[in-house]
Amino acid sequence: MSGDAAERSLGLEGAQTSAPVPVEVKRLPHGEGLPLPAYATSGAAGMDIVSAEDVIIAPGARHAVATGLSVAIPQGFEIQVRPRSGLALKHGITVPNTPGTIDSDYRGELKVIMINHGTDDFVIARGDRIAQLVLAPVTQGAWVEVDELDATDRGAGGFGSTGGHEKL
């Protein structure tokens, strides 16, 4: 089914997609010559970001990989740092605090914390794609202290209370 046909079947014909949100970016000296974060395909949710350094991450080790960029994220947004699925599957390389959050008021260098869950050293060369960045809106909450909470069917049932893998 073509994209237009799919839109019609879902009732999305003429649906508007939001315009890209401008994000100011400052290239640091060690980021010279590297590409800015970019979407690999037209349907990609995340922008690939590259390393600005050569580094080897040993099995079990972590490293904050430099990107050579700082950003000014608009108020009301964050950038989520997410792992690249191919690195995770093929090499056991991931972002341990997934998704990592870059707040709108941070102006330092964007670094990607990476961990090697694999069995071999993982070599990152300057210019290698290391993670994905997703620009996302933020809703700030406001705590309202009460004496009682409303009742639900689940109640206080915690971890595993709705059924585990044995039911699958």
Side-chain angles (χ1 to χ4, degrees), residues 57-58 60-63 91-96 112-118:
I57 305 176
R62 297 173 303 279
H63 183 77
H91 304 284
I93 302 298
T94 192
V95 177
V112 177
I113 303 168
M114 301 187 80
I115 188 168
N116 183 351
H117 288 300

Side-chain angles (χ1 to χ4, degrees), residues 144-152 155-156:
V144 178
E145 192 168 351
V146 297
D147 292 327
E148 295 294 327
L149 300 175
D150 63 318
T152 66

Side-chain angles (χ1 to χ4, degrees), residues 30 50-58 61-68 81 93-97 106 109-116 124 130-131:
H30 58 286
V50 303
S51 173
E53 64 178 317
D54 296 324
V55 65
I56 297 173
I57 305 176
R62 297 173 303 279
H63 183 77
V65 180
T67 66
V81 182
I93 302 298
T94 192
V95 177
N97 61 324
Y106 176 68
E109 181 176 8
L110 192 160
K111 292 188 176 185
V112 177
I113 303 168
M114 301 187 80
I115 188 168
N116 183 351
I124 298 173
I130 56 169

Side-chain angles (χ1 to χ4, degrees), residues 96-152:
N97 61 324
T98 301
T101 292
I102 303 168
D103 296 308
S104 65
D105 58 352
Y106 176 68
R107 294 297 183 268
E109 181 176 8
L110 192 160
K111 292 188 176 185
V112 177
I113 303 168
M114 301 187 80
I115 188 168
N116 183 351
H117 288 300
T119 56
D120 300 316
D121 285 351
F122 186 73
V123 177
I124 298 173
R126 185 176 189 275
D128 283 351
R129 294 179 295 165
I130 56 169
Q132 297 181 77
L133 305 179
V134 175
L135 182 67
V138 171
T139 301
Q140 291 187 330
W143 296 106
V144 178
E145 192 168 351
V146 297
D147 292 327
E148 295 294 327
L149 300 175
D150 63 318
T152 66

Side-chain angles (χ1 to χ4, degrees), residues 25-69:
V25 60
K26 177 182 176 183
R27 191 182 303 272
L28 303 173
H30 58 286
E32 288 297 328
L34 294 173
L36 293 177
Y39 297 101
T41 66
S42 62
M47 297 173 265
D48 290 330
I49 189 161
V50 303
S51 173
E53 64 178 317
D54 296 324
V55 65
I56 297 173
I57 305 176
R62 297 173 303 279
H63 183 77
V65 180
T67 66
L69 302 173

Side-chain angles (χ1 to χ4, degrees), residues 84-93:
R84 297 192 68 236
S85 58
L87 293 181
L89 177 63
K90 296 175 185 172
H91 304 284
I93 302 298

